[in-house]
Amino acid sequence: MSSERLAALLDEYAELEKRLADPAIHADQGTARRVGRRYAELVPLHKAAGELEQARADLAAAKELAAEDPSFAAEVDSIAAVLPALEERLAELLIPRDPHDAKDVIIEIKAGEGGEESALFAGDLLRMYTRYAERRGWLTEVIDAQDSDLGGVKDVSLAIKTKGVPEGGNGVWSRLKWEGGVHRVQRVPVTESQGRIHTSAAGVLVLPEAEDVDVTIDPNDLRIDVFRSSGPGGQSVNTTDSAVRITHLPTGVVVSCQNEKSQLQNREQAMRILRARLLAVAQEQADAAASDARKAQVRTVDRSERIRTYNFPQNRITDHRIGYTAYNLDLALAGDLDGVLDALGEADRAARLAGGTELTRR
């Protein structure tokens, strides 16, 4: 393990601890939250380093005692036996982690091939992530949504947040970052009169929610258009130009929002999504410069580009990236995603330990 890296991180931990003890930092909640998140990320490392240092000190003391009294030999062996596990734990914590792990996320779900059935499946995915968030004690907020005629969703943006500072720096992104990609469903649609199984797909894009300090946006780089919101009909359709479309001219990224009743609220929500997308763009560019570019999460919402399949007749969920299969689809759609997410996390951990690179996300 790198003693220089360990020393630097422990020094950073001590400095952050001092900053958090200063009441002045809490005058700026944004700064306090960022410092608190980073401190939480380093707590496990500080604890592991302390336990290893203590174990080594105990071993040295036991060896001295054993040299004078052979009855302490068993204690030497006992302490020595736990050292490899402590060293492995610390080595794992020293591997550079995803810098966004402590962040909240914005999940965008888009119906793809399959028409109305795809929109219904997109609605199922929305409920699945919402229920999973509830199980974790996270907060959810639908930023924008376009409903379909039969109760599904054509396009939805869902914000998921932790309450306070995430323990160990493991925020929403650390759990859901692998969900980006094309999700495929195989089932008999409600629109199918012959009982035939159809295959359709929905695309999921997971973005770490950006804070103001993460992305600088020049107002001169934005083109903002307003229009009337659309919907399936009735009172849900506005009669004023409250919907907002924002185009970031340098990158061509376009974001629209029409969920809120006022133009100002829609603009604020659209800017949240824009910041998250621009942060993702900046991260991809940085990765590419380091020759470690991540593949795009969703290239096309095409059935062949799937990362996961939800097979209703077999009650089966399969993640094709790691070969994970379980026959508890009903539970997964009800929010019990820990099985597949734990498997993805373990695959990522193994990849990092083996070669220092993370599990590829689509």
Side-chain angles (χ1 to χ4, degrees):
M1 69 183 68
S2 170
S3 57
E4 295 83 3
R5 175 171 168 76
L6 175 59
L9 291 174
L10 291 178
D11 286 345
E12 182 184 0
Y13 173 89
E15 179 61 28
L16 293 172
E17 192 171 42
K18 290 180 181 178
R19 291 186 67 186
L20 288 173
D22 183 355
I25 193 175
H26 299 287
D28 183 343
Q29 289 302 309
T31 299
R33 182 173 173 81
R34 287 191 297 275
V35 173
R37 281 178 170 177
R38 179 56 177 162
Y39 177 79
E41 289 178 8
L42 294 178
V43 165
L45 175 73
H46 179 265
K47 180 180 178 182
E51 290 176 349
L52 179 58
E53 182 180 6
Q54 184 62 53
R56 286 172 173 170
D58 291 345
L59 179 61
K63 285 181 177 180
E64 289 183 7
L65 292 173
E68 300 176 1
D69 185 348
S71 64
F72 284 96
E75 186 173 350
V76 171
D77 294 339
S78 176
I79 297 174
V82 303
L83 282 179
L86 293 174
E87 291 171 344
E88 181 179 353
R89 171 62 175 159
L90 185 58
E92 180 182 336
L93 289 170
L94 281 172
I95 297 173
R97 65 184 295 169
D98 189 324
H100 299 314
D101 272 353
K103 288 186 177 294
D104 300 323
V105 307
I106 293 176
I107 296 182
E108 298 182 7
I109 307 172
K110 300 179 184 295
E113 293 186 358
E116 189 64 42
E117 162 62 6
S118 178
L120 290 170
F121 177 52
D124 292 338
L125 294 177
L126 172 62
R127 284 185 289 275
M128 179 180 76
Y129 292 126
T130 300
R131 289 168 179 169
Y132 180 69
E134 292 172 352
R135 286 170 173 258
R136 303 283 298 195
W138 295 336
L139 304 174
T140 61
E141 174 192 3
V142 174
I143 298 176
D144 192 42
Q146 296 181 36
D147 298 331
S148 69
D149 294 334
L150 296 183
V153 291
K154 298 177 182 178
D155 192 343
V156 62
S157 296
L158 176 71
I160 304 181
K161 300 182 176 183
T162 57
K163 295 179 180 178
V165 175
E167 183 178 353
N170 296 313
V172 183
W173 174 259
S174 71
R175 290 296 286 172
L176 297 182
K177 58 186 173 183
W178 298 291
E179 290 301 288
V182 175
H183 295 238
R184 184 177 66 173
V185 62
Q186 296 172 329
R187 65 183 176 189
V188 178
V190 295
T191 56
E192 169 59 53
S193 59
Q194 303 297 319
R196 293 173 297 185
I197 296 174
H198 287 225
T199 298
S200 61
V204 175
L205 181 65
V206 184
L207 303 169
E209 181 153 14
E211 300 177 46
D212 291 340
V213 295
D214 296 325
V215 178
T216 301
I217 300 177
D218 186 343
N220 294 324
D221 289 337
L222 302 179
R223 185 178 73 234
I224 302 176
D225 303 305
V226 296
F227 57 97
R228 291 187 181 182
S229 62
S230 60
Q235 296 179 348
S236 61
V237 179
N238 286 339
T239 56
T240 59
D241 293 335
S242 61
V244 174
R245 181 186 299 109
I246 300 178
T247 303
H248 186 251
L249 300 176
T251 61
V253 173
V254 180
V255 176
S256 61
C257 189
Q258 61 179 4
N259 246 36
E260 305 296 337
K261 294 181 180 180
S262 78
Q263 187 181 121
L264 178 60
Q265 289 174 317
N266 281 322
R267 176 171 174 162
E268 290 175 349
Q269 298 289 46
M271 286 298 294
R272 286 178 64 187
I273 299 174
L274 178 62
R275 280 193 294 269
R277 289 190 184 178
L278 292 181
L279 178 62
V281 169
Q283 185 65 52
E284 288 172 2
Q285 291 173 343
D287 288 344
S291 301
D292 189 27
R294 288 178 290 173
K295 295 180 179 179
Q297 291 189 61
V298 183
R299 291 196 291 274
T300 58
V301 185
D302 182 285
R303 289 189 293 262
S304 64
E305 292 285 346
R306 81 277 192 262
I307 62 165
R308 190 176 297 156
T309 294
Y310 303 75
N311 185 292
F312 276 70
Q314 299 178 17
N315 196 37
R316 170 173 56 85
I317 180 171
T318 299
D319 194 289
H320 304 284
R321 295 164 294 182
I322 57 174
Y324 173 91
T325 294
Y327 294 88
N328 63 346
L329 175 58
D330 53 338
L331 297 178
L333 289 174
D336 187 1
L337 288 173
D338 281 332
V340 62
L341 295 180
D342 286 345
L344 285 162
E346 178 57 30
D348 177 69
R349 188 188 73 84
R352 287 175 179 270
L353 286 174
T357 57
E358 63 182 346
L359 176 70
T360 299
R361 298 189 300 276
R362 294 294 290 271

